[in-house]
Amino acid sequence: MTSSELRPCQDERAALRLLHDGELDLEGRLVDASNTTLRGIITLDGVTARCVYKPVRGERPLWDFPDGTLAGREVAAYLVSRATGWDLVPPTVLRDGPFGPGSCQLWIDEPEETEPLVGFVPADAVPPRWFPIAAARDDDGAVYALAHADDPRLARLAVLDAVINNADRKGGHVLVGPDDRIYGVDHGVSFHVEEKLRTVLWGWAGRQLPPDVAELLDGLAGQVTGALGDELAEHLTVSEVAALAARIERLRAAGTFPQPSQEWPAIPWPPI
């Protein structure tokens, strides 16, 4: 690229302006995605960045998410992440694009040498300070463990997922950016009014929330009833915003990380 390239750790306001107002040229489609997911290059005032564009018209109808759009929930997840101050979701906007309105999110490039923080490892060789979550076997019968690192950055992501009721936190949706920050992506099936938390980040289940998290939830509760709630109302239903506030209150009252449900699968498929 001949122009300067925006990195995710740069000014957030500049990133949002680029995503919202920049010229979007598509590079291709991510074929593994269940809904239309396109990668593109976005340019504005000599600054470029790669992005992910998910047009609303490419969304497959979901019987259990009949209201709103997946694109709107992508933006809502970013707004909640921004309100926490943890910035776990890359800058995301709703904008018009080559295939109509959709979410547009800053692309996160993982350095080639990055070690994954979630994955399948031999059951007898789970790394130190990793949590085994579930058992599995490969085609030859070898035993593996689905596991993740005991990393405070992942713990924050687990809290965010509990807040937004993320029904699809796969290991492949956890990225480590070039600035060594954790990012969560793909939040189109979040914010349901019923409990649907499905995640691979169960390592802290039932444990006490860190003091800073409890304090943050206090502040977040107030934001949902104020300006943040007004922003979310542009992308979520009234019931979904109310359910978000109720989940925050339950987390505050419990003071612990949530436990896996016994009523629905607690781990998404595929998990990675």
Side-chain angles (χ1 to χ4, degrees), residues 55-133:
V56 172
R57 71 167 65 173
E59 297 178 0
R60 296 190 334 189
L62 298 174
W63 67 268
D64 54 344
F65 283 84
D67 301 314
T69 64
L70 276 62
R73 294 188 183 91
E74 294 275 10
V75 178
Y78 163 71
L79 293 174
V80 174
S81 168
R82 185 178 67 179
T84 67
W86 292 337
D87 297 326
L88 293 168
V89 179
T92 312
V93 302
L94 194 68
R95 61 161 290 166
D96 201 16
F99 295 102
S103 63
C104 188
Q105 183 176 87
L106 202 64
W107 176 273
I108 301 299
D109 271 318
E110 289 190 289
E112 291 184 6
E113 66 276 10
T114 299
E115 292 291 334
L117 297 174
V118 183
F120 286 102
V121 296
D124 59 355
V126 177
R129 293 186 56 81
W130 275 53
F131 294 118
I133 303 301

Side-chain angles (χ1 to χ4, degrees), residues 4-230:
S4 61
E5 188 168 357
L6 184 77
R7 290 170 59 85
C9 56
Q10 287 181 293
D11 182 62
E12 182 179 39
R13 184 176 298 178
L16 292 173
R17 180 170 174 266
L18 174 65
L19 290 168
H20 192 272
D21 299 330
E23 181 179 349
L24 176 56
D25 294 314
L26 299 180
E27 293 183 302
R29 180 174 180 174
L30 305 184
V31 295
D32 292 336
S34 55
N35 294 280
T36 301
T37 303
L38 305 164
R39 193 173 85 160
I41 296 175
I42 196 158
T43 306
L44 181 69
D45 297 337
V47 177
T48 67
R50 281 195 165 88
C51 64
V52 177
Y53 164 56
K54 298 182 178 181
V56 172
R57 71 167 65 173
E59 297 178 0
R60 296 190 334 189
L62 298 174
W63 67 268
D64 54 344
F65 283 84
D67 301 314
T69 64
L70 276 62
R73 294 188 183 91
E74 294 275 10
V75 178
Y78 163 71
L79 293 174
V80 174
S81 168
R82 185 178 67 179
T84 67
W86 292 337
D87 297 326
L88 293 168
V89 179
T92 312
V93 302
L94 194 68
R95 61 161 290 166
D96 201 16
F99 295 102
S103 63
C104 188
Q105 183 176 87
L106 202 64
W107 176 273
I108 301 299
D109 271 318
E110 289 190 289
E112 291 184 6
E113 66 276 10
T114 299
E115 292 291 334
L117 297 174
V118 183
F120 286 102
V121 296
D124 59 355
V126 177
R129 293 186 56 81
W130 275 53
F131 294 118
I133 303 301
R137 291 181 182 271
D138 66 11
D139 292 340
D140 297 323
V143 182
Y144 282 79
L146 174 64
H148 68 76
D150 181 7
D151 188 307
R153 299 171 298 173
L154 285 183
R156 286 183 168 185
L157 189 57
V159 172
L160 177 66
D161 285 340
V163 166
I164 68 174
N165 199 16
N166 189 355
D168 195 32
R169 173 62 70 210
K170 295 180 171 69
H173 297 170
V174 179
L175 307 178
V176 182
D179 47 3
D180 202 36
R181 280 174 49 186
I182 292 289
Y183 295 92
V185 298
D186 286 328
H187 300 104
V189 286
S190 299
F191 296 100
H192 202 285
V193 296
E194 299 174 6
E195 291 300 321
K196 287 184 175 288
L197 182 60
R198 286 191 291 268
T199 175
V200 295
L201 303 179
W202 286 116
W204 301 275
R207 298 194 182 195
Q208 200 76 20
L209 292 172
D212 65 313
V213 171
E215 184 177 334
L216 179 140
L217 291 174
D218 290 340
L220 191 60
Q223 292 186 68
V224 171
T225 59
L228 175 60
D230 292 339

